[in-house]
Amino acid sequence: MTAEPTFSHLDATGTARMVDVADKAVTARQAVAQGRVVTTESVLAALRDNSLPKGDALATARLAGIMGAKRTPDLIPLCHPIALHKVAVDLVVSDDGVTITATTKTADRTGVEMEALTAVSVAGLTLIDMVKSADPAAELTDVRVLSKTGGKTGHWERS
Amino acid sequence: MTAEPTFSHLDATGTARMVDVADKAVTARQAVAQGRVVTTESVLAALRDNSLPKGDALATARLAGIMGAKRTPDLIPLCHPIALHKVAVDLVVSDDGVTITATTKTADRTGVEMEALTAVSVAGLTLIDMVKSADPAAELTDVRVLSKTGGKTGHWERS
Amino acid sequence: MTAEPTFSHLDATGTARMVDVADKAVTARQAVAQGRVVTTESVLAALRDNSLPKGDALATARLAGIMGAKRTPDLIPLCHPIALHKVAVDLVVSDDGVTITATTKTADRTGVEMEALTAVSVAGLTLIDMVKSADPAAELTDVRVLSKTGGKTGHWERS
Amino acid sequence: MTAEPTFSHLDATGTARMVDVADKAVTARQAVAQGRVVTTESVLAALRDNSLPKGDALATARLAGIMGAKRTPDLIPLCHPIALHKVAVDLVVSDDGVTITATTKTADRTGVEMEALTAVSVAGLTLIDMVKSADPAAELTDVRVLSKTGGKTGHWERS
Amino acid sequence: MTAEPTFSHLDATGTARMVDVADKAVTARQAVAQGRVVTTESVLAALRDNSLPKGDALATARLAGIMGAKRTPDLIPLCHPIALHKVAVDLVVSDDGVTITATTKTADRTGVEMEALTAVSVAGLTLIDMVKSADPAAELTDVRVLSKTGGKTGHWERS
Amino acid sequence: MTAEPTFSHLDATGTARMVDVADKAVTARQAVAQGRVVTTESVLAALRDNSLPKGDALATARLAGIMGAKRTPDLIPLCHPIALHKVAVDLVVSDDGVTITATTKTADRTGVEMEALTAVSVAGLTLIDMVKSADPAAELTDVRVLSKTGGKTGHWERS
């Protein structure tokens, strides 16, 4: 590990800027991100059941994640506003917690991994908000990109 | 684990609603939340150095976290819009990653832990956005409330 | 009907302004608004069933209405930004369509009927968005205040 | 009424998602939507006059409608963020109320009828906000798409 | 000029934070800000006339200013979200340009001068947007606080 | 000065609308805008030093400007929502004040000068917010377009 890492959002003097993507090609791009909400067994049991009277808990988190993806350029200072062609947020309740997976797609000059990460995070925070009266210690963890495709760097997959 | 957990954002039929806080007392409330961005040694070294040419990286994440706290009711569907009397976001670079701590304060009818968690998450996502050209595998982890004070439940601290 | 009606958002010269409410009392205020989405029998049957595979349709509209209420001062130019202490959105499917009822509460210097009307409208538009692939002619109708309480004018109820 | 209606925003399990439009063609699309604010004769007379001292009432509603169209993806959970190439909002005062017509255009992968409906609704709510001191019973009604063109389904017109 | 100036939004180490106002008193506060759009004589003549066919130009700027004031905490990173009890934006066309004056009021823990300055700026930018097809060189100048009252510092007036 | 100036955002009757750009060509467009914050010598000295303990002052303003550019269509009523391919905000402290220069780029149907002007204004307002505890008389002045390229009108440069 010899070379100094490059932070593309900073110019040579360390100044933040929104990177110029004008000359980048418009290509189909997709990203998948994942995270997990860790909470108590009894909360997981109530969520897994996903019936009334807990019906709206997962639906609320899923919608918040989808809407959160659209707010990405409002939240992340140097993100370009881009078209979003698809956002799907999937929540699976297991013994380990609630695993949240978000898939985002676009055809634009820049990738959609921040949109996928934001969808996961907002869905996770919303789930914490739903369960915090039962478990104030609930946490959001392991939020990360699983894979991305498209653009100059092509396909990347978490090893 | 006997009693069914109560999700205060759902009514008896499982329907989501913004809880009625009209009759709750206005009290001073504070929350502290924390999370961590895990990334490579070389990225951490560049950030720890916090000099040019990486000058704006941590400042950008900190500001994004502060602004993100203000967007909490826009992002989390059932959060009440509340006054925010203080938001501070602190980033510390160590060998384990970048630890992000957010402190929020209000005097209102409902707590500010979601604002603190949102500040941590948005700061963390922004940091990932800053370093992703150098480390596409960076992740945000262990986002959780450390403590909260005020309101009916009084002081709570993560054990 | 003799006297010229008074539009409180316009000054004596007809100029729009955000009314000065600094001297108005902070009182508990509540509003209830209602509207209806009119669509085809087959869409209503699918919604009434409210089971999979149409599970999220009503939940999506309800959440959109709650979140929409919080966006009222962003949408309605002369509305004051106010605290919202409760927002509930209720959707009932009948043979006439889907009746949407929103209840909003605050303790502030100005009423919450615009928040209730916005909640109903955004929930209704979202429902139209959900069903438009099946019924492009769906419409939102009869959006109006049912009652409001609090403030100088006290209780008002639609006759 | 034989076939079960299809709700394109729900997948086969009834889960809400933002539909994948990546493979849809970019075509010119236009939508026209309409709605009506019903209020008292004296309010209509004051608005029809459209002179000082009621000068800004209709202009305020028109602008709110145009700005509201731009907020559509923020308000309607499953709407794609799209480019908007034109938004026009027209208000006509008659004996029946104030008829609001919105026309929206884009060249994108998905239609603009939700933008037109949102423009009409926000203009209508704003007009209600302007006149509510004179008529607390004012209502917004008959909000619906009149026609849309472009995309796979081609031209559709309300019969 | 002896003492180092104090920047209240920075802590002792120069780190940005949202100042803690929890212990500040809630007092009535008002601010007046002003700015000016400089443009050509012919544009000023068309605006001064303020009749059709230029009817909506000043109304559009005025509304944008009022709505802009409400967006202040979204735009200015360290501004507290506060209640706004009044926003008025006044535009006067003279030979020198269009003078924009904004008055804002609140009863809160922090002042409203940023809201007044934002109202002036957004109104001015909107006016530039309206006239730029006729005068691409139009500029916004002399945006500043004229006076503020309330809070610990009491009355301040530009000398 | 013979011909009446044309305001492209108003139709023949003076009514505001979002101009139809559907038939305009997608071309690469760039704009540069500039403005200046005028403040006291001691504030300028503290900023010029740009070291701790004033470290975040300029970084905060720069980021606010970049984020502000993305909010342009939310703030300026008749601006089209457009893709932004680059936003850079540069702040230079001199004896005359802090000069703020913003450069914006897109490939779209309409220009980006409003985005550049908004970036300058929001950066300037944020700087005023940072220094107002030391200089309540700070002002933002000379906000204007320096040059723009692309589109039907081609290159324009302030003379």
Side-chain angles (χ1 to χ4, degrees), chain A residues 122-143:
Chain A
V122 175
L125 293 173
T126 299
L127 199 58
I128 289 177
D129 184 46
M130 300 299 287
V131 308
K132 72 180 195 293
S133 56
D135 175 16
E139 63 184 274
L140 171 65
T141 198
D142 297 337
V143 178

Side-chain angles (χ1 to χ4, degrees), chain A residues 28-77:
Chain A
R29 293 158 192 267
Q30 177 170 323
V32 181
Q34 199 168 77
R36 195 159 43 93
V37 170
V38 180
T39 179
T40 63
E41 273 180 52
S42 71
V43 165
L44 290 173
L47 290 172
R48 188 183 294 116
D49 184 29
N50 196 21
S51 62
L52 296 176
K54 302 291 179 246
D56 277 359
L58 297 180
T60 300
R62 187 162 50 232
L63 277 171
I66 293 171
M67 296 181 83
K70 295 192 268 185
R71 310 304 294 272
T72 305
D74 279 352
L75 295 173
I76 311 296

